[in-house]
Amino acid sequence: MRGFSIVVAALVAGASSCQGPSDGLTDRDALGHHDVTIIRDEYGVPHLHAASERALFYAVGYVQGQDRLWQAETLRRAATGTLAEWFGPSRLQADIQARLVFGPAERRAALLAETSAETQLVFEAFADGMNAWIDEARATGALPQEYAVFGVEPRPWTVDDSVAVFLLLGSQFGWNGGDELDNAAQYADLVARLGPAEGARAFADTHYLEDPSAPTTIPGGEGVVRGMTALPVRVDTAAARAAREVADHQAAHERSLELAGLHRGPRSNAILIGPSMSADGHALLMGGPQMGYGAPQINHELGLHGAGFDVTGMSIAGFPLVPIGVGRGYAWTLTTGGTDNVDYFAEQLDPGNPGRYWYQGAWHDLACRVETFAVKGAPSTMQTLCSSVHGPIVAVVGGVAYAMAAGTAGTELQSYEAWLDMGRARSFEEFESNLAAVSYNFNVFYADAQGTIAYWHVGAIPVRAAGANPFFPEPGDGSSDWQGFMPFDEMPHVVNPEQGWLVNWNNKPRADWPNSSAGFWDWGPVHRVNTLRALVAAQSPGSFTLDTLAEINRRAGLTTDSPSGSAAIVIVSTMLDDMLDAVDCSVDPRLREIVSLLRGWDWLQTDDDEDGRYDSPAVAVFNTWWQATLEDVCVPELGAGIDPTLCAQIVYRLLAGSAAAVPVQASYLDEGETIRDALSRDLVVALDELAARFGTADVAAWLQPRAEIEWTPGGIGTVPNTLWMNRGTYNQLVHLGRGPQLYGKNVVAPGQSGDYRSPHFADQLPLYATWQYKPMRLRRADQRAHAESITRLAVPGS
């Protein structure tokens, strides 16, 4: 194993050392109140015990401040659009985008005012606890070193900060779609290069409503072939121009989130195993949210015990919630849903007064406000931000303003309340009843001690107007307004499926469920979930244990992606056998050996000898072959920007020919050529390239350099790269039973703390890098037995 020493930007004298458990009282105990007991286990995970909600969530703010104050700081600034104030002009566009999309503080206050008094108390208690830690850290010199490095001071934490952070995180993982402007740009490019007819066919191959052959989370059922509907009669050049502007703004916003270790993209997997499949008759759950590799990463573990809560799991610095965890006799996890719940509407502006737009037969004023942005090292900037009835105006081209409509608008904090209640459910029915209020789009996976396993696809999914084209911006005149939302009882869900297990890796929910998003979310037969499906299906009934799930997680996480380190583009498990069957070995004398190598390969990209190269030449052969196929078959027709997963769908369908559920429409091969010809030729091209790259014809020497996880620094502490693994950044494996039969293990790498001086900054990195886990301390006796420290904290006002 490579060393796991921590690299820091500066040497700081007087770094705190790890202390053993102590029942010594804090300064606050002079008040005579012991409202919260904080037990930190051997990995620094805080377990909070309190009798009242105010005390419990005050402590949540306090310990999050202790562990992740700088990360919380960057998250709240990213969410409220105030990064440029500290980090300069490079963050200004991200600030503008944040204030445009999430609105001003007044909007967030209105959302909070619609919630229960209990929810408002929780947010207020959290802010009080965070501020208590900030005051204490100022007084004792314990503020994160980043404040001194950047020459800044934390302002008091506010309720609005937490609401803004929740909206930001919800949008990152619970908003999908919003591809209409990009689609318009792609359509314009295809028509310009290929002509109207062929361009329309190529667009239809990469944008379709449903492919019945796509793997689903819910087993069984029959889908229908739904192709493009109502293709536009002309190229929308205005939307294509707007796409570039919006893409630039979104990219700036995404870059800002890297400061907090947050990355967006298709991610997260889950496995549920029912009692009939497990070795001891108990249900099992594996959750793996993939949320970005940062030091610290975005996830932070804690336990809430008391005031109706008994839940341990992942939280995120800046808001009081355990969105994934283990409750009293049950556990749950989430993956991003992928159903389109964000649309763009084209608002026609008044030529005589561009501050007005046409809606339902009349001109209406855009709702505009002027925002001032402080910028470090530069003058403050004022920006006018506007919205229509459909949502914020994200771009204006000519006489058209493009508004972004999100299905969550106005109900964001209903989702928060539902998640809050998930952590204190007392029955399956109670847990399920919360899900109807979740407006962000997620897949929810549940297992309990009674042996129930269940899955729901949740969120506010718009019912679009009859005749609306889900792939392009719709007119904002009211004729294409949403017609409400999909009823909860019609959303995909299943309880105790007959096959006894469920898997998901952001794939299609059920057979008849359409997609109208683009790229990775164009669900088709080629999908990385096929890796998990194959591994789970290969196990015998009655054999599953937590160790089985851990091994499946390892094998899936090390299955070759193309290119290595790309996470979403895992095609080998679906494509390899069919591609090999297509190869004509008579084309080149080297092909027989290569086909034999690939047929005997286990799909894995491992570096067991830790020489910095993958152990098998099959990794380099397959990846180079796939790249040659991509450039030969797809790029000439679809352009260099084609999503590789979409290219894989096309190659798969070409191989299936007339048996393909969604036949290929455009021309990807030369006249008289077959996909078999192309794949054989491309494999020869790959072999020639590999011989030149490695300087030898010896296949055994073709060992591809390994991909690595680069743990993006969220402050001034860094950790070394580790072997690339396509897995959850938080992994949770739980055995569901009664009493001592409820137990779990997890890993939160690099570590619990965001302070590089802490022994818990990277103590879980060696576990993560070697596919090991630590125990989840679910019970107070276990927590005390493994306590590093015990603190009694008094809470003012409790």
Side-chain angles (χ1 to χ4, degrees):
M1 182 191 303
R2 296 185 174 186
F4 288 94
S5 60
I6 307 307
V7 182
V8 297
L11 296 176
V12 178
S16 61
S17 62
C18 178
Q19 297 181 352
S22 169
D23 282 314
L25 305 184
T26 68
D27 291 340
R28 288 184 172 75
D29 290 308
L31 297 174
H33 300 292
H34 299 162
D35 295 308
V36 183
T37 299
I38 302 172
I39 306 174
R40 286 191 179 268
D41 66 23
E42 70 269 44
Y43 285 94
V45 176
H47 301 274
L48 315 177
H49 297 265
S52 73
E53 279 185 289
R54 170 166 169 76
L56 190 63
F57 286 96
Y58 179 99
V60 173
Y62 184 86
V63 299
Q64 283 194 6
Q66 283 183 313
D67 291 348
R68 301 286 186 91
L69 180 58
W70 181 254
Q71 185 178 58
E73 183 76 69
T74 54
L75 275 174
R76 71 169 167 179
R77 287 186 170 274
T80 58
T82 52
L83 284 168
E85 180 181 355
W86 280 9
F87 300 108
S90 65
R91 303 298 175 182
L92 176 59
Q93 187 54 62
D95 284 352
I96 295 172
Q97 182 74 4
R99 294 200 209 177
L100 174 66
V101 172
F102 304 123
E106 291 79 7
R107 175 181 181 268
R108 294 188 289 271
L111 291 174
L112 186 63
E114 293 295 320
T115 64
S116 67
E118 178 191 42
T119 296
Q120 294 173 39
L121 178 149
V122 165
F123 274 98
E124 290 164 1
F126 177 88
D128 289 345
M130 182 73 84
N131 286 325
W133 170 251
I134 291 172
D135 291 344
E136 183 176 320
R138 275 201 178 107
T140 61
L143 283 175
Q145 287 294 298
E146 286 82 359
Y147 286 104
V149 169
F150 289 100
V152 294
E153 285 281 334
R155 61 168 172 78
W157 193 271
T158 68
V159 167
D160 180 63
D161 291 329
S162 293
V163 175
V165 169
F166 180 78
L167 267 58
L168 169 65
L169 293 166
S171 72
Q172 283 294 109
F173 303 105
W175 282 1
N176 307 290
D179 308 298
E180 293 84 8
L181 298 175
D182 288 337
N183 292 341
Q186 292 168 17
Y187 187 76
D189 173 69
L190 290 170
V191 169
R193 290 191 298 104
L194 306 175
E198 182 68 2
R201 287 190 288 267
F203 188 86
D205 284 340
T206 54
H207 298 75
Y208 45 88
L209 286 172
E210 186 177 355
D211 184 333
S213 64
T216 60
T217 299
I218 298 175
E222 296 184 2
V224 296
V225 177
R226 299 175 184 164
M228 278 297 304
T229 59
L231 275 171
V233 296
R234 63 180 177 82
V235 173
D236 189 343
T237 56
R241 289 167 56 196
R244 291 188 289 272
E245 180 180 340
V246 171
D248 289 344
H249 296 170
Q250 290 176 339
H253 182 59
E254 299 295 336
R255 287 192 298 272
S256 75
L257 299 181
E258 293 181 1
L259 292 172
L262 189 63
H263 301 269
R264 190 182 186 194
R267 44 179 54 96
S268 306
N269 56 26
I271 301 175
L272 293 178
I273 302 297
S276 66
M277 300 295 291
S278 72
D280 63 1
H282 291 290
L284 307 172
L285 176 146
M286 188 197 85
Q290 296 171 260
M291 301 174 67
Y293 297 101
Q297 69 147 296
I298 196 67
N299 294 316
H300 171 260
E301 186 182 357
L302 54 78
L304 304 180
H305 310 282
F309 292 87
D310 190 9
V311 58
T312 303
M314 59 156 277
S315 185
I316 298 174
F319 74 96
L321 192 65
V322 176
I324 292 175
V326 181
R328 188 177 298 172
Y330 65 99
W332 80 99
T333 189
L334 308 172
T335 70
T336 294
T339 297
D340 186 4
N341 60 355
V342 176
D343 285 351
Y344 284 94
F345 286 85
E347 316 283 15
Q348 294 297 321
L349 300 179
D350 183 351
N353 180 2
R356 302 197 303 175
Y357 66 104
W358 187 255
Y359 180 68
Q360 293 186 341
W363 293 110
H364 296 261
D365 291 333
L366 290 169
C368 297
R369 67 187 190 277
V370 177
E371 294 267 8
T372 301
F373 297 84
V375 183
K376 182 180 180 181
S380 295
T381 297
M382 292 198 303
Q383 186 83 17
T384 300
L385 305 178
C386 299
S387 61
S388 73
V389 67
H390 297 109
I393 302 299
V394 298
V396 178
V397 177
V400 181
Y402 292 94
M404 186 191 77
T408 59
T411 62
E412 293 94 334
L413 292 188
Q414 291 181 25
S415 296
Y416 172 83
E417 293 185 298
W419 268 308
L420 189 66
D421 287 338
M422 286 183 205
R424 54 183 172 185
R426 291 295 177 263
S427 67
F428 169 81
E429 292 76 17
E430 189 174 334
F431 184 92
E432 183 179 38
S433 69
N434 295 316
L435 300 178
V438 176
S439 58
Y440 291 102
N441 180 223
F442 285 95
N443 297 302
V444 181
F445 298 86
Y446 168 97
D448 65 27
Q450 287 71 42
T452 301
I453 63 171
Y455 157 71
W456 302 266
H457 190 75
V458 303
I461 306 304
V463 176
R464 293 172 174 88
N469 188 322
F471 294 103
F472 293 93
E474 284 293 318
D477 59 8
S479 62
S480 293
D481 281 3
W482 294 342
Q483 307 298 297
F485 298 95
M486 180 75 68
F488 177 70
D489 59 3
E490 295 180 17
M491 296 281 286
H493 63 280
V494 66
V495 179
N496 295 327
E498 185 177 350
Q499 71 178 18
W501 55 270
L502 293 167
V503 299
N504 177 274
W505 208 344
N506 306 116
N507 54 295
K508 184 176 180 175
R510 72 182 182 209
D512 65 343
W513 194 253
N515 60 271
S516 56
S517 193
F520 174 87
W521 298 110
D522 276 312
W523 291 311
V526 182
H527 200 286
R528 65 185 180 185
V529 77
N530 288 329
T531 307
L532 283 179
R533 288 163 60 95
L535 292 170
V536 172
Q539 289 291 130
S540 302
S543 67
F544 282 88
T545 66
L546 286 193
D547 288 341
T548 310
L549 291 186
E551 176 60 14
I552 288 173
N553 193 32
R554 186 189 74 85
R555 290 186 63 85
L558 295 176
T559 295
T560 297
D561 38 8
S562 307
S564 299
S566 57
I569 311 165
V570 185
I571 64 174
V572 63
S573 48
T574 307
M575 296 288 293
L576 180 59
D577 289 343
D578 290 340
M579 291 175 67
L580 291 175
D581 289 344
V583 173
D584 180 358
C585 289
S586 68
V587 170
D588 187 289
R590 298 171 292 177
L591 294 184
R592 194 169 302 280
E593 175 191 0
I594 293 299
V595 168
S596 177
L597 168 71
L598 292 175
R599 286 200 187 280
W601 179 38
D602 61 4
W603 304 345
L604 301 186
Q605 46 188 19
T606 58
D607 180 21
D608 290 340
D609 59 7
E610 296 193 347
D611 66 350
R613 301 181 299 170
Y614 289 127
D615 301 323
S616 172
V619 178
V621 171
F622 181 78
N623 278 347
T624 308
W625 182 18
W626 172 248
Q627 185 62 33
T629 301
L630 176 74
E631 294 173 359
D632 181 26
V633 175
C634 296
V635 168
E637 183 82 357
L638 300 173
I642 175 64
D643 185 293
T645 303
L646 282 179
C647 181
Q649 312 290 6
I650 289 167
V651 172
Y652 184 95
R653 290 165 181 148
L654 288 170
L655 283 167
S658 60
V662 177
V664 169
Q665 298 185 38
S667 300
Y668 299 94
L669 305 169
D670 293 337
E671 186 174 354
E673 183 181 59
T674 68
I675 187 60
R676 297 175 181 272
D677 297 330
L679 286 170
S680 301
R681 178 180 65 248
D682 296 335
L683 184 51
V684 172
V685 169
L687 299 183
D688 290 342
E689 180 183 331
L690 288 165
R693 183 192 311 168
F694 289 96
T696 177
D698 181 6
V699 176
W702 296 352
L703 301 180
Q704 177 184 310
R706 74 181 201 175
E708 295 188 334
I709 296 172
E710 297 181 6
W711 299 87
T712 305
I716 59 177
T718 64
V719 299
N721 293 352
T722 54
L723 177 70
W724 167 254
M725 303 169 178
N726 189 5
R727 65 183 289 197
T729 45
Y730 171 76
N731 267 142
Q732 170 180 290
L733 290 83
V734 187
H735 180 277
L736 280 305
R738 298 179 186 275
Q741 292 302 308
L742 175 67
Y743 55 87
K745 55 185 179 180
N746 64 5
V747 63
V748 186
Q752 180 73 7
S753 176
D755 185 344
Y756 68 85
R757 301 167 295 178
S758 167
H760 301 304
F761 180 62
D763 56 339
Q764 295 186 55
L765 190 61
L767 296 177
Y768 191 87
T770 55
W771 292 95
Q772 298 180 70
Y773 303 84
K774 65 175 187 62
M776 296 182 74
R777 304 297 180 193
L778 303 178
R779 297 170 184 81
R780 186 163 185 158
D782 195 29
Q783 294 155 18
R784 294 185 72 91
H786 296 87
E788 177 183 271
S789 66
I790 301 175
T791 302
R792 291 192 174 94
L793 179 68
V795 178
S798 292

